[in-house]
């Protein structure tokens, strides 16, 4: 089961707000894709939350774009920032990337107007399969919040 960002944000507004804040804190994040041989590839990436979607924009024929065309599964890790503080926690989004076709000029133009990417570019919208936040609470508990489509957020606390 997959869902877009807006459906997730409606279902779990507090977690969605926290995740967006973590991604907004820094420009560059880490995208994991799968190479032809199935091994992982990690690369830097800027992301955008626009019009109810989480968008991934990429340079033409970048290896990460070619990876996603071949196998759309991805994991996206928010930049943790400097030091060890990780204010707001560590967040990760997993899902499938769906490429926006070149002939979908309306969608591509709306994205380009907002983001102003270098032309040409690959554009992917995302279908979420999991959102995870990990943080420390009261300097005592490791807290994991896990969301999957169709389920409420599960919160796990470990000492």
């Amino acid at each position: 089961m997959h869902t877009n960002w807006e459906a997730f944000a409606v279902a779990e507004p507090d977690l969605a707000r926290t995740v967006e804040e973590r991604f907004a804190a820094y420009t560059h994040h880490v995208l994991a894709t799968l190479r032809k041989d199935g091994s992982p590839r990690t690369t830097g990436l800027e992301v955008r939350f626009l019009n109810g979607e989480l968008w991934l924009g990429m340079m033409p024929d970048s290896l990460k774009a070619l990876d996603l065309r071949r196998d759309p599964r991805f994991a996206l890790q928010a930049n943790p920032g400097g030091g060890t503080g990780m204010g707001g926690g560590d967040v990760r989004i997993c899902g499938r990337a769906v490429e926006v076709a070149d002939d979908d000029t309306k969608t591509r133009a709306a994205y380009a107007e907002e983001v102003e990417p270098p032309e040409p570019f690959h554009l992917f919208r995302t279908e979420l399969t999991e959102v995870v936040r990990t943080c420390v609470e009261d300097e005592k508990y490791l807290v994991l919040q896990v969301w999957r489509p169709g389920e409420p957020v599960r919160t796990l606390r470990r000492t």
Side-chain angles (χ1 to χ4, degrees):
M1 181 178 226
H2 306 95
T3 192
N4 73 353
W5 185 260
E6 182 175 35
F8 164 64
V10 167
E12 299 294 343
D14 293 337
L15 181 56
R17 186 173 32 260
T18 299
V19 170
E20 283 191 47
E21 288 170 359
R22 287 296 299 125
F23 277 96
Y26 299 93
T27 302
H28 297 97
H29 307 286
V30 178
L31 177 71
T33 59
L34 296 170
R35 300 172 193 252
K36 284 182 191 177
D37 67 2
S39 63
R41 180 190 318 272
T42 58
T43 53
L45 181 74
E46 296 180 30
V47 301
R48 294 288 192 280
F49 296 90
L50 298 171
N51 304 320
E53 301 282 357
L54 168 58
W55 300 97
L56 311 176
M58 299 167 203
M59 293 173 50
D61 297 323
S62 66
L63 292 176
K64 58 191 159 202
L66 298 176
D67 286 347
L68 290 172
R69 281 181 161 177
R70 189 176 41 260
D71 186 329
R73 294 176 293 171
F74 73 89
L76 180 64
Q77 185 83 31
N79 185 330
T84 59
M86 287 199 319
D90 182 51
V91 297
R92 181 184 73 241
I93 299 170
C94 297
R96 297 171 47 87
V98 178
E99 188 165 16
V100 177
D102 288 341
D103 63 0
D104 186 348
T105 55
K106 182 179 176 185
T107 301
R108 293 177 67 80
Y111 177 84
E113 182 178 325
E114 186 73 31
V115 178
E116 299 179 2
E119 298 276 351
F121 61 94
H122 291 286
L123 181 61
F124 295 85
R125 68 170 35 98
T126 59
E127 298 175 342
L128 311 180
T129 58
E130 183 180 68
V131 177
V132 178
R133 176 179 179 240
T134 306
C135 64
V136 176
E137 187 176 275
D138 299 329
E139 297 184 28
K140 181 178 181 181
Y141 299 101
L142 178 66
V143 179
L144 288 112
Q145 293 175 286
V146 180
W147 172 87
R148 293 190 177 107
E151 300 176 13
V153 170
R154 235 179 43 231
T155 302
L156 308 161
R157 286 182 172 75
R158 299 181 183 155
T159 55

